[in-house]
């Protein structure tokens, strides 16, 4: 599965929850050298619900970076999905008939 498929299959309430968690974490890491603990716990919990076979350790620095990067990418995908207008398809009533030219 790619990012677009995962992003489209996520519910609106969970999108909002994860977006808030990512924003809180980003604001916290800008001001301090640590992650926001509540947001990090939410991100790890959702990761383990989505990918139970791929265990990530919250005490591992590279795992924390990977999880944060994944959710930041997902938030970007959700923003892209919501900002692009849905395409409407035109249905034609039938084929156009052309008049034969006479000389």
């Amino acid at each position: 599965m790619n990012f677009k498929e995962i992003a489209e299959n996520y519910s609106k309430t969970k999108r909002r929850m994860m977006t808030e968690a990512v924003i809180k974490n980003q604001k916290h890491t800008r001001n301090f050298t640590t992650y926001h603990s509540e947001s990090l716990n939410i991100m790890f919990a959702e990761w383990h619900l989505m990918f139970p076979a791929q265990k990530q350790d919250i005490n591992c620095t590279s795992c924390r970076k990977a999880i944060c990067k994944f959710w930041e990418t997902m938030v970007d995908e959700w923003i892209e999905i919501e900002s692009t207008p849905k395409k409407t398809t035109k249905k034609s009533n039938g084929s156009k008939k052309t008049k034969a030219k006479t000389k």
Side-chain angles (χ1 to χ4, degrees):
M1 278 178 32
N2 59 18
F3 287 117
K4 286 191 186 272
E5 291 174 1
I6 296 169
E8 289 172 356
N9 294 331
Y10 226 65
S11 69
K12 295 276 186 186
T13 56
K14 284 194 173 188
R15 283 183 190 185
R16 192 176 312 114
M17 177 185 67
M18 292 310 299
T19 303
E20 289 173 4
V22 168
I23 290 170
K24 278 184 189 177
N25 188 48
Q26 285 178 337
K27 286 181 181 179
H28 187 81
T29 53
R30 281 189 204 121
N31 295 326
F32 306 101
T33 58
T34 60
Y35 294 99
H36 188 256
S37 62
E38 182 183 332
S39 301
L40 196 62
N41 286 331
I42 292 172
M43 289 189 270
F44 268 86
E46 284 297 317
W47 171 268
H48 288 124
L49 288 175
M50 288 178 64
F51 308 105
Q54 297 176 337
K55 297 293 182 191
Q56 298 285 352
D57 185 15
I58 200 164
N59 297 321
C60 173
T61 56
S62 61
C63 292
R64 286 192 302 258
K65 285 180 184 179
I67 295 291
C68 290
K69 179 68 176 172
F70 171 79
W71 287 114
E72 288 170 5
T73 307
M74 290 304 295
V75 168
D76 292 341
E77 286 293 326
W78 293 328
I79 291 170
E80 185 178 319
I81 287 171
E82 291 176 6
S83 66
T84 56
K86 293 185 179 181
K87 295 179 181 178
T88 57
T89 57
K90 280 188 174 180
K91 292 184 178 180
S92 61
N93 293 338
S95 62
K96 292 184 179 180
K97 296 182 179 180
T98 56
K99 294 182 180 179
K101 292 184 181 180
T102 56
K103 290 188 179 182

